[in-house]
């Protein structure tokens, strides 16, 4: 029985996925079960996994099942009590997974744990947050934020703990989907979402705090497979679904209406 199952959903990230899997191979202190769900990549990702990482369980999909659907496929197959959802554009430090796993073993009252994520240049990413309120969604993703910049900045600072530099441990409400370690029985993503807001949905579902463990270090090439206007469209699609489920249809409709000018401006900028 493995100590930890690692689920990686990959879509056309072959070279980054290779580096990720190599870092997992060099990870120390745990028996790992590594599951790669390949979402119908066309860049040779699946072939690379088969040829170079025989120990990895490869689940090749005929269609793109997206982040949420793909992770649920991997979670369903996982056999360890604890499951780590990990992006393919990450590289874990040798002791990172053992530190996270031990923390959750010793602190069962927490819903999950995450690591300190750093960009390739060493800058720390601002992960870990409160659960977004409806007001924070309005201010961040609609024209209301442009009209009320001071309120937007204040709410945003509260949401993302502006006074915290991520150099120390901290209890948080939401941990990033790029690195989420939880008990398998508690970990199931909302299939109605494709790429965005599953971590917020999880936090609302469990209503327990999670933990940011600064000693666990992971390099993250953020947004390596989602830098496109198409992905932006998916973001706003998921935003509306999340808003409807958490705040009701009338509030979702208001957010949709107020977000249209922002989407239009983004489309013009993209062109």
């Amino acid at each position: 029985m493995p100590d930890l199952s690692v689920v990686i959903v990959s879509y056309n990230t072959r070279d980054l996925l290779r580096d990720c899997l190599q870092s997992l191979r060099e990870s120390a202190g745990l028996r790992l079960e590594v599951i790669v769900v390949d979402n119908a990549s066309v860049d040779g990702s699946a072939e690379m996994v088969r040829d170079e990482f025989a120990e990895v369980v490869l689940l090749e999909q005929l269609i793109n099942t997206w982040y949420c659907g793909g992770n649920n496929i991997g979670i369903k197959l996982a056999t360890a009590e604890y499951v780590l959802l990990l992006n393919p554009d990450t590289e874990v430090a040798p002791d990172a997974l053992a530190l996270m796993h031990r923390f959750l073993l010793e602190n069962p009252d927490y819903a999950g744990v995450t690591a300190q994520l750093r960009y390739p240049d060493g800058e720390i990413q601002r992960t870990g947050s409160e659960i977004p309120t409806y007001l924070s969604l309005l201010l961040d993703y609609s024209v209301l934020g442009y009209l009320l910049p001071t309120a937007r900045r204040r709410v945003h600072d509260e949401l993302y703990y502006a006074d915290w530099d991520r150099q120390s441990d901290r209890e948080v409400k939401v941990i990033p989907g790029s690195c989420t370690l939880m008990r398998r029985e508690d970990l199931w993503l909302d299939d109605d979402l494709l790429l965005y807001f599953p971590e917020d949905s999880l936090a609302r579902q469990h209503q327990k705090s999670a933990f940011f463990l600064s000693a666990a270090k992971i390099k993250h090439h953020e947004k390596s497979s989602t830098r496109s206007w198409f992905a932006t469209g998916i973001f706003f699609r998921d935003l509306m679904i999340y808003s409807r489920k958490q705040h009701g249809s009338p509030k979702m409709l208001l957010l949709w209406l107020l977000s249209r000018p922002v989407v239009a401006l983004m489309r013009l900028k993209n062109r």
Side-chain angles (χ1 to χ4, degrees):
M1 175 73 71
D3 300 309
L4 178 66
S5 296
V6 182
V7 177
I8 302 169
V9 176
S10 176
Y11 179 67
N12 292 332
T13 57
R14 180 190 59 199
D15 295 337
L16 290 167
L17 175 62
R18 177 187 288 113
D19 293 340
C20 177
L21 294 176
Q22 185 60 39
S23 74
L24 290 172
R25 182 179 274 173
E26 296 168 2
S27 190
L30 294 175
R31 296 179 302 244
L32 297 182
E33 173 185 59
V34 181
I35 301 169
V36 171
V37 181
D38 184 77
N39 270 336
S41 297
V42 295
D43 67 344
S45 293
E47 291 83 352
M48 180 276 295
V49 174
R50 276 199 304 270
D51 293 343
E52 301 180 28
F53 297 92
E55 72 275 19
V56 170
V57 178
L58 176 63
L59 304 177
E60 295 183 69
Q61 306 304 299
L62 297 178
I63 61 172
N64 187 351
T65 60
W66 301 93
Y67 173 85
C68 293
N71 271 304
N72 284 341
I73 290 170
I75 293 165
K76 187 175 181 180
L77 189 71
T79 60
E81 181 181 357
Y82 295 89
V83 176
L84 171 68
L85 305 186
L86 189 67
N87 272 17
D89 56 354
T90 59
E91 296 170 49
V92 303
D95 63 346
L97 303 192
L99 288 170
M100 295 167 64
H101 180 261
R102 186 172 69 213
F103 175 86
L104 211 52
L105 279 175
E106 296 174 352
N107 297 274
D109 290 337
Y110 283 102
V113 63
T114 190
Q116 183 193 80
L117 301 181
R118 289 178 177 259
Y119 294 106
D121 66 2
E123 181 184 353
I124 298 176
Q125 296 180 9
R126 291 184 63 196
T127 58
S129 71
E130 289 290 309
I131 298 172
T133 63
Y134 180 69
L135 176 60
S136 71
L137 296 178
L138 281 174
L139 290 171
D140 270 345
Y141 307 120
S142 83
V143 70
L144 196 62
Y146 293 91
L147 299 174
L148 301 170
T150 302
R152 178 183 184 183
R153 185 164 54 251
R154 176 179 53 79
V155 171
H156 196 270
D157 286 350
E158 292 173 357
L159 181 64
Y160 288 101
Y161 313 121
D163 60 343
W164 175 42
D165 62 4
R166 273 69 178 174
Q167 297 273 24
S168 58
D169 296 348
R170 179 162 179 161
E171 183 177 290
V172 299
K173 290 296 185 182
V174 180
I175 53 180
S178 51
C179 177
T180 292
L181 197 160
M182 295 178 65
R183 296 165 191 83
R184 183 183 58 191
E185 64 186 19
D186 296 332
L187 187 54
W188 193 256
L189 305 184
D190 186 344
D191 271 328
D192 290 334
L193 301 171
L194 299 181
L195 281 172
Y196 301 98
F197 298 98
E199 56 272 89
D200 303 304
S201 179
L202 266 178
R204 284 185 173 274
Q205 175 184 334
H206 293 296
Q207 291 297 315
K208 292 200 300 184
S209 293
F211 202 80
F212 179 101
L213 191 62
S214 60
K217 315 288 187 185
I218 294 181
K219 183 192 295 185
H220 184 204
H221 303 261
E222 190 179 27
K223 297 181 180 177
S224 62
S225 62
T226 56
R227 292 184 179 128
S228 68
W229 172 249
F230 178 70
T232 301
I234 296 296
F235 174 86
F236 280 95
R237 177 253 186 213
D238 283 353
L239 171 62
M240 296 308 148
I241 290 175
Y242 174 79
S243 178
R244 175 178 57 78
K245 287 193 169 189
Q246 304 302 332
H247 303 292
S249 296
K251 288 185 175 180
M252 181 274 289
L253 179 59
L254 177 61
L255 176 59
W256 182 85
L257 289 170
L258 292 176
S259 70
R260 292 307 88 192
V262 175
V263 174
L265 286 172
M266 292 177 70
R267 183 178 289 114
L268 285 173
K269 186 176 180 180
N270 181 68
R271 288 177 179 173

